[in-house]
Amino acid sequence: MRELAGDLRWLSLNWATVRERCDLGHAIAACARHGIPAIAPWREPLQAMGIGVAARRIRDHGLAVSGLCRAGMFPAADAAGRQAAIDDTRRAIDEAAAIGARCLIVLAGGMPPDSRDLALARRQARDGIAAVLPHARAAGVPLAIEPLHPMYAADRCCINTLAQANDLCAELDPDQDGGIGVAIDVYHVFWDPELEPAIARAGAAGRILAFHVCDWLVPTRDLLLDRGMMGDGVIDLRRIRGLVEAAGYAGMIEVEIFSRDWWRRDPDEVLRTMADRYQTVM
Amino acid sequence: MRELAGDLRWLSLNWATVRERCDLGHAIAACARHGIPAIAPWREPLQAMGIGVAARRIRDHGLAVSGLCRAGMFPAADAAGRQAAIDDTRRAIDEAAAIGARCLIVLAGGMPPDSRDLALARRQARDGIAAVLPHARAAGVPLAIEPLHPMYAADRCCINTLAQANDLCAELDPDQDGGIGVAIDVYHVFWDPELEPAIARAGAAGRILAFHVCDWLVPTRDLLLDRGMMGDGVIDLRRIRGLVEAAGYAGMIEVEIFSRDWWRRDPDEVLRTMADRYQTVM
């Protein structure tokens, strides 16, 4: 395993971690101030800042871009809705290319409105990803399929295990031409009894494109906005990082925390804390 | 599939569905009043009523007992804690036998205090279940291992997929001597992309001991207390019932709804609604 103490070189800030008190410009400056060498923007603040402006600012501060969040959400009630999601994801690929992002985070999406058919949603997500894959390859921006926790299956993401994401990559990229892989977020996968073989399989195919960290609090008070800072919860972070690195991953460790608690705090405190926890509990 | 319209014979009320406004005695009477032929008590109200009294009352009202909730919760900080859970589960087996319950619902339990080791919790759960299995067999009360949704992995139940429960049954009962099986609750398993083969496998081994229903609401506002009435959410209930019945299950359909909303309502309204939905959307 990589030694993290005294060395922030693999740390990345996902903008959502400070989203209530920082626009993207302030988040870029804060990373530079704290010696955090990478950032993962979201599209809304990126578009608000202007993509050219943001790209320059990121470059001027010497930051890497561990990923762009996010596109996908393919299932829809009709063909027009599905095409709109495909078109939007193609634009996201271009945005990711413009800022030099190492990948685009792709969420499958939940069930279409008024549907109870998860299998249909999964087929629509597969078809959507297949439709944008050529554009991702041409742009040199790989699609990072992120399985989300099963509690989001209905309304956010119908890809809910790493095994499922691996299967999808194998189906859409049988010859390992690349352009598609997975994002592994500890929050979404730590519970999975099949996590170890799934990480090994993703790594063996060279498909681990991103590694996101936070923690699972006990109790968890909200399905969406109660993630913990690393070390404050029950996830065996070192074990999972060990599995991911043993599988060949040598990229960024990106901190993504949706939390009303952390969003209220001074962004400098948030960045200091995450840099400290990265070195001591990851 | 069985025809449910006009025929309540497979409907069972899990007491927790009315727990805020009914003790067990009132719930038994309410079932009889509404033509609901079965009930699944919880241990606390059962003990409060007195097990002999409850057994008589259930018999006098002609009710079947689809299961007793619940025991298990094996992982603990030390050997004494683990032994206490084993002892308690043996008492639960005796209670289940005394009221003629068709199974005892067994929850694995979450991680021990101050632990981040899910694999350890899973081993301790397996060892606990193995320790009580002979007593269950002797008493004629099969253990129904209930996988809970992954959002409960940390603090309630480290068995989170039906595949995992099936594996555990196969490990502890390699010769299919019985005494152990699974409880399938739609709320916990509907998201699982491997649900169909897991149900088929459980059924082929004769191990589906209970089938619990409710619905998954969108949005879900609370991790524990926001389950929906059948038909109010997004679970494809008919599909899952079809899979369970195609796998050979011919037992009760037990309604278990933890919901602040439904707990506030008149129990007669709750029972009327569940009997209606059982016939129309299940």
Side-chain angles (χ1 to χ4, degrees):
Chain A
M1 278 171 77
R2 296 178 289 185
E3 175 60 48
L4 304 185
D7 186 349
L8 298 185
R9 99 179 89 158
W10 298 294
L11 180 57
S12 178
L13 171 71
N14 185 298
W15 168 81
T17 303
V18 293
R19 79 174 197 194
E20 297 297 309
R21 297 189 51 178
C22 286
D23 60 18
L24 184 55
H26 285 105
I28 290 167
C31 281
R33 201 160 61 239
H34 287 268
I36 294 170
I39 193 165
W42 280 54
R43 293 177 67 202
E44 297 76 3
L46 177 64
Q47 291 163 356
M49 189 171 182
I51 292 162
V53 173
R56 245 188 334 272
R57 193 83 61 88
I58 289 167
R59 200 170 50 239
D60 290 347
H61 283 81
L63 300 184
V65 179
S66 54
L68 175 64
C69 291
R70 62 193 190 183
M73 313 298 276
F74 296 106
D78 55 26
R82 292 190 289 280
Q83 187 60 47
I86 289 168
D87 294 341
D88 182 63
T89 302
R90 289 194 180 120
R91 282 191 297 273
I93 290 167
D94 296 336
E95 294 165 7
I99 59 169
R102 298 187 181 173
C103 63
L104 172 67
I105 299 294
V106 174
L107 295 196
M111 286 187 275
D114 301 320
S115 166
R116 292 184 169 87
D117 192 341
L118 260 177
L120 172 68
R122 286 162 175 163
R123 286 194 301 274
Q124 292 185 353
R126 177 201 61 197
D127 293 347
I129 295 166
V132 301
L133 180 54
H135 192 72
R137 285 175 169 158
V141 175
L143 306 172
I145 312 301
E146 183 170 4
L148 292 205
H149 193 285
M151 67 187 172
Y152 305 125
D155 51 353
R156 292 178 183 273
C157 183
C158 59
I159 296 180
N160 304 105
T161 64
L162 187 52
Q164 221 187 331
N166 282 335
D167 286 345
L168 188 59
C169 289
E171 179 181 352
L172 297 183
D173 180 33
D175 301 322
Q176 298 194 26
D177 297 323
I180 187 168
V182 299
I184 299 176
D185 185 316
V186 296
Y187 194 76
H188 298 302
V189 303
F190 83 98
W191 61 272
D192 187 348
E194 300 301 324
L195 182 59
E196 189 167 337
I199 289 175
R201 179 180 168 206
R207 288 193 174 124
I208 306 179
L209 300 177
F211 181 48
H212 296 182
V213 301
C214 65
D215 215 332
W216 181 280
L217 300 179
V218 174
T220 290
R221 294 185 181 82
D222 187 279
L223 272 80
L224 199 57
L225 304 181
D226 197 25
R227 298 192 186 190
M229 179 63 70
M230 300 84 73
D232 290 345
V234 299
I235 300 179
D236 191 344
L237 295 163
R238 281 189 63 84
R239 172 178 171 266
I240 298 178
R241 179 167 76 89
L243 293 172
V244 166
E245 294 186 4
Y249 182 75
M252 290 290 173
I253 298 168
E254 183 182 314
V255 177
E256 184 180 41
I257 303 175
F258 298 91
S259 159
R260 289 202 183 94
D261 175 21
W262 286 98
W263 285 344
R264 269 193 291 265
R265 304 199 197 189
D266 180 337
D268 282 311
E269 181 195 350
V270 177
L271 268 62
R272 259 197 316 274
T273 307
M274 67 177 243
D276 173 64
R277 299 295 178 83
Y278 162 89
Q279 296 179 71
T280 54
V281 306
M282 275 307 306
Chain B
M1 278 173 76
R2 297 177 287 184
E3 175 61 49
L4 304 185
D7 185 352
L8 298 184
R9 98 179 90 159
W10 299 293
L11 178 57
S12 178
L13 170 73
N14 185 297
W15 168 81
T17 302
V18 293
R19 78 173 198 195
E20 297 297 309
R21 298 190 51 178
C22 286
D23 62 18
L24 184 55
H26 285 105
I28 291 167
C31 281
R33 201 160 62 239
H34 287 268
I36 294 170
I39 193 165
W42 281 54
R43 294 177 67 205
E44 297 75 4
L46 177 65
Q47 291 162 358
M49 189 173 184
I51 291 161
V53 173
R56 243 186 337 271
R57 193 80 64 86
I58 289 167
R59 200 170 50 241
D60 290 348
H61 282 81
L63 300 184
V65 180
S66 54
L68 176 63
C69 291
R70 61 193 193 185
M73 312 299 275
F74 296 107
D78 56 26
R82 291 190 289 280
Q83 187 59 47
I86 289 168
D87 293 342
D88 182 63
T89 302
R90 289 194 180 120
R91 281 192 296 275
I93 291 167
D94 295 337
E95 294 165 9
I99 59 170
R102 296 190 181 171
C103 63
L104 172 67
I105 299 294
V106 174
L107 294 196
M111 285 187 275
D114 301 321
S115 167
R116 293 184 170 87
D117 192 342
L118 261 176
L120 172 68
R122 286 163 175 162
R123 287 194 300 274
Q124 291 185 353
R126 176 200 62 198
D127 293 347
I129 294 166
V132 301
L133 179 54
H135 192 72
R137 285 174 170 160
V141 176
L143 306 172
I145 313 300
E146 183 171 4
L148 292 203
H149 194 285
M151 67 187 173
Y152 306 123
D155 51 352
R156 292 176 183 272
C157 182
C158 58
I159 296 179
N160 305 103
T161 64
L162 186 53
Q164 222 187 328
N166 281 336
D167 287 344
L168 187 59
C169 289
E171 179 181 352
L172 298 183
D173 180 33
D175 301 321
Q176 298 194 27
D177 296 324
I180 187 168
V182 299
I184 298 176
D185 185 318
V186 295
Y187 194 77
H188 298 303
V189 304
F190 82 98
W191 61 271
D192 187 351
E194 299 301 322
L195 183 59
E196 188 166 337
I199 288 174
R201 179 180 168 205
R207 287 194 174 123
I208 305 178
L209 300 176
F211 180 48
H212 296 181
V213 300
C214 64
D215 215 331
W216 181 281
L217 299 179
V218 174
T220 289
R221 294 186 181 80
D222 187 280
L223 272 80
L224 200 56
L225 304 181
D226 196 26
R227 298 192 188 189
M229 179 63 70
M230 300 84 74
D232 290 344
V234 298
I235 301 179
D236 190 344
L237 295 164
R238 282 189 61 83
R239 172 178 170 263
I240 298 179
R241 178 166 77 89
L243 293 173
V244 166
E245 294 186 5
Y249 183 74
M252 290 291 172
I253 298 169
E254 183 181 313
V255 177
E256 184 181 41
I257 302 175
F258 298 92
S259 160
R260 288 202 184 93
D261 174 21
W262 287 97
W263 285 344
R264 268 193 291 266
R265 304 198 197 190
D266 179 337
D268 282 311
E269 180 196 350
V270 177
L271 267 63
R272 259 196 316 272
T273 307
M274 68 177 241
D276 174 63
R277 299 294 178 84
Y278 161 91
Q279 297 179 73
T280 54
V281 305
M282 275 305 308

